[in-house]
Amino acid sequence: MSLLHFIRCPFVLPSGVHLRNMDSFIRAVQQVEDSNPGISPLALVRALRRTAGHDDAMTIHFLGASYNVSDAEVLETAILNASSFSFFDKAIHHIVTDYGEERGVVLTPDGTTIALAPLLLGIESGLKAKMEGTPAVGLFSLTLGRTLGLSFLSLQDFPPAYRLGPNGCWDNVDYPKVFKLSQAATLATDAVINGGMDGAILGTDLSNLSAHEPSQALSDILKGYYSFILHEGQGLDALTKHISPRRREISRAILEPLDLHSQVMETLTLVWKLEKTEWIAFDTGLGKAVKDGLERFVHKYWDCPQIIPRCQWGAKAYRGTHLPLSLPLQFLYVHHTYEPSSPCLSFPNCSRDMRSMQRFHQEDRGWSDIGYSFVVGSDGYVYEGRGWNKLGTHTRGRNAVGYGVSIIGNYTATLPSRHAMDLLRHRLVRCA
């Protein structure tokens, strides 16, 4: 008799109907939990690892094999039934096709795209540490270290700016099914790094819980981080818990105190030992490749804010011919939108406001595009207007010498949120 048993899961997942967003993934996880009362989150996340075929040498080194562990519950849930298997395998297994489609990624409610594999490895590491009452071992290596190191190493003949990323666009943010990258992929796409940061955050949070504290269901862990509502007058300023729009600042606070260079180098040494990868063992430029790559990582993903690209908020095409800016610029002009008058507190609302402003600027004002270079929401994100390199229409007589950035809302009588102002003053400016 086989040791592998099937999770009892009565619902059927018709092929092709599942959207590639976090809400769909959470619902599928919750249905498995509801059909298997008492299943632990650690057992379930191990079963998902087994389903996606992620028992590589490093994962087994830190977490143990998903098919060979002492927890009897895992043996009962080592593989999902046929319908669940198909959905979870496609949702979790990360690949980039020859046509630039990135799979194994989902759109989160805050408008960013994450890879599920590093997220779930981070959660599993944290749950394992909580159960054993020990610090999480290998958390950075599993979520970010291995991917960053191998990307730095494989692309060391390219400038550091090309060793990480890129981002991409969904075919439809309301019904996402296909995510295509904007240029050739590295091993560390934006989605993989976003998922890695989230995995490091949630893994750290879970590992800090007492072994005696009851564990949340996996669906509840994900809901708490990704599914939230910000309230007007409070927004991110009043929120102390860890949620996805703050992934960059939280992951920096957790990981920056580590010696990241040593961490990545130790991870690559482990990859070499476990996988006998000779091209790592004999690479004399490894230290410099990691140093240069980490400097780029810190700047791109920690110094800079997350910028929601035009394709994500539904921008219409630029009318006419773009006029390039002559860089560098010496000034930044800060505006408020006045209309829309209320701060936007979610990706759907901020996207709607962006489309409204672009429509007003193009159709009523007769401009080529939305006038601002960038727009700041109160949801924790910056939205791309004309961007870094194109002439805007924002400050009469000064468009060519500075960027124009507007904060959504009417601030004639009150100030924007502290978080929104910090996003502009300390993050976007530093990135520029």
Side-chain angles (χ1 to χ4, degrees):
M1 182 176 177
S2 172
L3 287 176
L4 298 180
H5 298 275
F6 291 92
I7 280 183
R8 299 179 301 280
C9 192
F11 70 97
V12 177
L13 298 171
S15 176
V17 304
H18 284 276
L19 301 178
R20 294 294 183 252
N21 56 29
M22 180 57 75
D23 289 341
S24 289
F25 182 73
I26 291 175
R27 282 196 298 272
V29 168
Q30 189 166 11
Q31 286 178 305
V32 174
E33 293 167 340
D34 291 344
S35 302
N36 296 266
I39 185 174
S40 75
L42 181 57
L44 179 51
V45 81
R46 280 174 171 162
L48 292 174
R49 168 156 63 101
R50 169 70 168 162
T51 301
H54 289 157
D55 274 323
D56 56 76
M58 177 171 284
T59 303
I60 292 173
H61 175 80
F62 286 120
L63 300 178
S66 64
Y67 51 83
N68 185 27
V69 293
S70 59
D71 190 339
E73 193 174 30
V74 177
L75 293 178
E76 295 176 3
T77 60
I79 192 168
L80 305 178
N81 73 13
S83 58
S84 300
F85 179 91
S86 175
F87 170 64
F88 283 122
D89 176 55
K90 291 176 181 177
I92 300 170
H93 189 69
H94 183 266
I95 60 169
V96 177
T97 71
D98 293 340
Y99 302 100
E101 179 188 346
E102 187 172 14
R103 299 175 181 172
V105 302
V106 295
L107 178 65
T108 67
D110 66 9
T112 57
T113 302
I114 68 152
L116 286 169
L119 165 68
L120 294 174
L121 287 176
I123 290 174
E124 183 178 350
S125 179
L127 289 170
K128 181 175 183 289
K130 175 188 179 297
M131 181 189 72
E132 297 173 351
T134 60
V137 177
L139 180 59
F140 175 74
S141 296
L142 290 169
T143 56
L144 285 169
R146 172 173 49 182
T147 300
L148 291 177
L150 291 176
S151 191
F152 299 155
L153 184 61
S154 62
L155 298 174
Q156 62 182 294
D157 293 333
F158 291 80
Y162 294 93
R163 299 179 201 171
L164 296 170
N167 201 350
C169 290
W170 287 94
D171 53 342
N172 186 312
V173 294
D174 295 317
Y175 304 99
K177 294 181 180 178
V178 178
F179 184 70
K180 295 202 71 172
L181 296 172
S182 60
Q183 58 192 55
T186 69
L187 294 175
T189 64
D190 279 14
V192 169
I193 291 178
N194 287 337
M197 288 190 285
D198 289 351
I201 292 166
L202 291 174
T204 300
D205 289 348
L206 292 166
S207 69
N208 288 333
L209 297 175
S210 166
H212 303 293
E213 289 185 59
S215 296
Q216 281 186 301
L218 177 59
S219 59
D220 289 333
I221 292 170
L222 295 172
K223 285 178 188 175
Y225 187 73
Y226 293 107
S227 303
F228 52 86
I229 297 176
L230 299 179
H231 299 286
E232 191 167 348
Q234 297 176 319
L236 285 170
D237 287 359
L239 213 57
T240 57
K241 72 173 186 175
H242 289 175
I243 59 172
S244 55
R246 301 180 63 193
R247 67 171 55 84
R248 294 194 174 200
E249 59 193 88
I250 299 168
S251 64
R252 184 172 204 159
I254 291 172
L255 299 175
E256 196 169 42
L258 305 176
D259 182 347
L260 292 187
H261 187 272
S262 295
Q263 293 277 331
V264 173
M265 293 294 287
E266 290 171 8
T267 300
L268 289 175
T269 299
L270 185 61
V271 170
W272 169 61
K273 289 181 178 179
L274 293 173
E275 302 178 6
K276 305 301 181 186
T277 310
E278 293 186 4
W279 61 290
I280 294 178
F282 297 107
D283 196 296
T284 57
L286 180 57
K288 186 177 187 307
V290 170
K291 177 178 178 294
D292 293 345
L294 282 172
E295 287 177 355
R296 177 63 185 173
F297 167 77
V298 168
H299 180 67
K300 182 175 181 180
Y301 297 100
W302 285 349
D303 290 344
C304 293
Q306 176 96 30
I307 297 176
I308 303 294
R310 292 169 60 90
C311 59
Q312 287 289 87
W313 59 261
K316 291 186 178 296
Y318 187 93
R319 295 177 178 176
T321 304
H322 286 295
L323 295 177
L325 287 167
S326 180
L327 303 179
L329 306 185
Q330 297 185 30
F331 300 97
L332 185 146
Y333 301 99
V334 180
H335 303 251
H336 67 156
T337 61
Y338 190 74
E339 289 289 343
S341 60
S342 297
C344 67
L345 296 166
S346 69
F347 168 66
N349 287 343
C350 293
S351 297
R352 183 193 62 215
D353 289 346
M354 292 295 292
R355 293 192 296 271
S356 174
M357 285 187 288
Q358 185 188 41
R359 185 166 53 249
F360 174 70
H361 288 175
Q362 286 185 322
E363 296 178 6
D364 291 40
R365 294 281 180 89
W367 298 346
S368 301
D369 198 355
I370 188 171
Y372 306 117
S373 308
F374 298 96
V375 177
V376 179
S378 294
D379 62 337
Y381 293 105
V382 175
Y383 288 74
E384 181 185 22
R386 304 226 187 164
W388 296 116
N389 299 305
K390 299 179 179 67
L391 182 73
T393 307
H394 48 78
T395 312
R396 187 179 300 234
R398 311 294 290 173
N399 293 322
V401 297
Y403 295 110
V405 180
S406 193
I407 301 178
I408 293 178
N410 178 358
Y411 300 106
T412 53
T414 60
L415 286 173
S417 70
R418 177 193 55 77
H419 194 278
M421 290 203 294
D422 287 348
L423 204 62
L424 168 57
R425 179 170 52 188
H426 299 306
R427 304 285 297 284
L428 187 66
V429 170
R430 189 172 183 183
C431 188

